[in-house]
Amino acid sequence: KDEKIMTENGVTCLGYTDLPSRLPTTSSSLYSNNISKFLLSTGPQTTKEKGHYYIDHEDDAVRGMLVLEKGKMMYPAPLPPPPPAKTTTETVGEPAPIDYKAPYISGAKNAGILGASVLAMGAVSPNPAFSGMFTTFA
């Protein structure tokens, strides 16, 4: 039976009080729904023709579940083809010089901008509490 609980603030809470007894039924129904949708994804819904059952060998999920087809062993599914090899052209020449200072300069610049912005925000803040709350998130 459903229960109605009233809190001291006047909030009404409605809900089921027998959740443990409802959980197996709900989980079974959700699981059976997933399985039926998965099995129907291999059937007539893929071709939109009544009476024609087509197994899509291109679909990875369907091909992975297929064990036998017309007496021929189809398991394990073949591995997907490897990605095409990238063709690279080698350039002969001097490599570009590496600037080892750039990350440090960039970090110092970002820290300076952040510090200046926090100080500027503190300077224009209406009261000290605002500054304390603002620097909590900085």
Side-chain angles (χ1 to χ4, degrees):
K1 182 79 178 146
D2 300 340
E3 190 172 323
K4 181 178 179 181
I5 301 172
M6 194 77 133
T7 65
E8 49 279 339
N9 294 340
V11 176
T12 305
C13 299
L14 298 174
Y16 297 120
T17 57
D18 58 344
L19 182 64
S21 66
R22 291 178 180 267
L23 191 60
T25 307
T26 305
S27 64
S28 294
S29 115
L30 291 173
Y31 180 70
S32 64
N33 187 32
N34 285 345
I35 294 298
S36 65
K37 297 293 185 193
F38 176 66
L39 291 175
L40 288 174
S41 72
T42 64
Q45 282 73 19
T46 58
T47 59
K48 305 292 187 221
E49 296 177 21
K50 280 195 159 203
H52 186 267
Y53 191 81
Y54 173 72
I55 296 175
D56 186 11
H57 292 278
E58 301 300 318
D59 187 3
D60 291 334
V62 173
R63 182 63 183 95
M65 78 168 191
L66 191 59
V67 177
L68 285 174
E69 184 177 24
K70 297 179 185 172
K72 182 182 171 194
M73 183 67 145
M74 302 296 284
Y75 187 82
L79 295 174
K86 295 180 182 177
T87 56
T88 58
T89 57
E90 293 185 25
T91 58
V92 178
E94 284 187 31
I98 299 173
D99 186 12
Y100 294 104
K101 296 179 189 177
Y104 299 108
I105 293 172
S106 173
K109 188 187 309 182
N110 288 341
I113 291 171
L114 178 66
S117 63
V118 168
L119 286 174
M121 198 59 158
V124 296
S125 67
N127 58 21
F130 177 81
S131 299
M133 286 187 285
F134 180 74
T135 55
T136 301
F137 300 109

